[in-house]
Amino acid sequence: MPHYASPELATTFLEQPLDNPLMNAAGVWCTLAAQLDALVESSAGAAVTKSCTLSRRDGNPEPRYRALPLGSINSMGLPNEGHVYYLDYAACHDYERKPLFVSVSGLSLDDNLTIVAALREAVLPAFLELNLSCPNVEGKPQPGYDFEAMDQFLAEVATAYRRPFGVKLPPYFDFVHFDNAAEILNRYDNLAFITCINSIGNGLVIDTESESTVIRPKDGFGGLGGDYVLPTALANVNAFHRRCPGKTIIGCGGVSTGEHVFQHLLAGATLVQVGTALHEEGPSIFDRLQKELRELMAKKGYTRIEDFRGRLKTL
């Protein structure tokens, strides 16, 4: 019986080699150094820190997360250890082992510029992911839904940072919004990557037995993740892959199987982030996802990711 080599999962991101395209989503398994260390020790191809604010935040009151049959709802409220904590971690990270992304989500433009300047001056090989899409901080709208504000925001950051960086976007639901957002993103040459998507904001889950919401913050309104968001995530990945050919796309949303990873890659993603499923299963999930992805690729006759990445067929 002939022997066939296992499909190769190695890829590159902004010319940097990775063992595979998998990583955590900012916010999951990455708040503390011990959690980040677990990601580094795992088989994930890369890791990203918790979205950080200028100073430490406790986030919203508990309960603020609930696992659901098809995913999760959360209103975490950006709990994090403050930007200095994550910059210190990034300064000690072994970049030969795997890439590290630093996620930044300041509560104002000035806060973001302060954090971005600190990361620039640290001269680290970490990738900056600018979070324009947290739906769970009361009184703070998502910059990604205000196109004029987003354009101003990106103009300031692109000028201040002067290095390649990326943005994490909220989900969009209309072709006009895809077009408007892409037009803005394409204006900035050093905006190198786009992460699609953050959670679908302000869902409401009701427990029939108790006749109550299931999380406390914002009267029970929170961001949806998991299977609930997969079709929306794939739509956003493909929409920006088509509209921003000079940008690299990171897919995020609804990933719990190797088939989901395959779908994100087929839609145009180069890397794929895992959120809700990682929260529920832990870093060992990356072993399972790679196994399932290899099995699917072998079944389809693909030997490497570039054989199919971004080649979604339409009817």
Side-chain angles (χ1 to χ4, degrees):
M1 180 176 291
H3 173 73
Y4 297 100
S6 176
E8 178 58 60
L9 300 186
T11 189
T12 58
F13 179 81
L14 304 186
E15 301 183 349
Q16 186 161 342
L18 283 78
D19 290 341
N20 63 78
L22 297 170
M23 60 185 293
N24 65 304
V28 183
W29 219 278
C30 57
T31 301
L32 300 175
Q35 295 173 316
L36 286 162
D37 287 345
L39 292 175
V40 173
E41 293 293 329
S42 79
S43 63
V48 58
T49 67
K50 184 75 173 71
S51 293
C52 65
T53 49
L54 194 62
S55 302
R56 184 183 181 280
R57 282 177 57 88
D58 290 328
N60 291 337
E62 302 278 1
R64 57 192 184 187
Y65 175 93
R66 172 69 71 90
L68 303 169
L70 295 177
S72 66
I73 185 170
N74 87 87
S75 183
M76 303 299 290
L78 287 176
N80 72 95
E81 297 299 306
H83 81 285
V84 172
Y85 180 92
Y86 300 105
L87 292 188
D88 286 347
Y89 184 90
C92 299
H93 177 67
D94 181 2
Y95 291 90
E96 294 294 322
R97 193 163 186 182
K98 65 184 61 176
L100 180 70
F101 292 69
V102 174
S103 178
V104 172
S105 189
L107 300 180
S108 68
L109 175 59
D110 286 345
D111 283 2
N112 278 292
L113 291 175
T114 298
I115 301 170
V116 165
L119 182 58
R120 182 194 68 225
E121 291 165 8
V123 197
L124 299 171
F127 295 114
L128 166 63
E129 182 184 80
L130 192 63
N131 185 352
L132 301 181
S133 52
C134 178
N136 297 322
V137 178
E138 293 193 56
K140 296 293 181 181
Q142 299 178 61
Y145 283 144
D146 182 335
F147 292 129
E148 182 177 349
M150 182 170 75
D151 191 17
Q152 179 185 358
F153 196 93
L154 292 176
E156 296 269 8
V157 171
T159 300
Y161 195 54
R162 301 194 297 271
R163 294 169 54 192
F165 72 101
V167 294
K168 185 169 186 177
L169 295 178
Y172 298 108
F173 303 94
D174 192 289
F175 273 62
V176 172
H177 297 152
F178 291 142
D179 293 341
N180 290 345
E183 181 182 0
I184 292 169
L185 299 174
N186 285 329
R187 292 173 187 163
Y188 302 101
D189 291 339
N190 61 329
L191 198 164
F193 67 92
I194 303 165
T195 302
C196 307
I197 57 172
N198 210 321
S199 59
I200 295 180
N202 296 313
L204 182 65
V205 174
I206 296 174
D207 178 71
T208 304
E209 181 66 26
S210 65
E211 302 179 11
S212 171
T213 59
V214 299
I215 57 174
R216 182 182 301 277
K218 295 174 59 179
D219 293 326
F221 285 71
L224 295 174
D227 290 352
Y228 296 108
V229 311
L230 179 61
T232 300
L234 294 175
N236 278 258
V237 166
N238 192 245
F240 286 102
H241 171 68
R242 292 172 181 273
R243 289 165 174 78
C244 301
K247 315 295 186 189
T248 300
I249 308 298
I250 300 178
C252 181
V255 176
S256 62
T257 70
E259 182 178 7
H260 297 155
V261 178
F262 180 88
Q263 291 173 346
H264 270 273
L265 296 170
L266 187 66
T270 294
L271 302 183
V272 180
Q273 297 182 349
V274 187
T276 295
L278 171 61
H279 186 279
E280 297 302 317
E281 193 168 331
S284 64
I285 192 174
F286 296 112
D287 297 328
R288 177 174 64 79
L289 294 178
Q290 288 177 67
K291 177 177 180 292
E292 293 174 358
L293 177 59
R294 281 194 173 96
E295 289 173 349
L296 181 57
M297 288 173 61
K299 181 179 178 181
K300 289 180 166 290
Y302 295 126
T303 60
R304 60 194 186 102
I305 288 172
E306 288 305 309
D307 291 341
F308 64 90
R309 191 188 69 79
R311 301 186 182 184
L312 177 67
K313 302 171 185 176
T314 57
L315 301 179

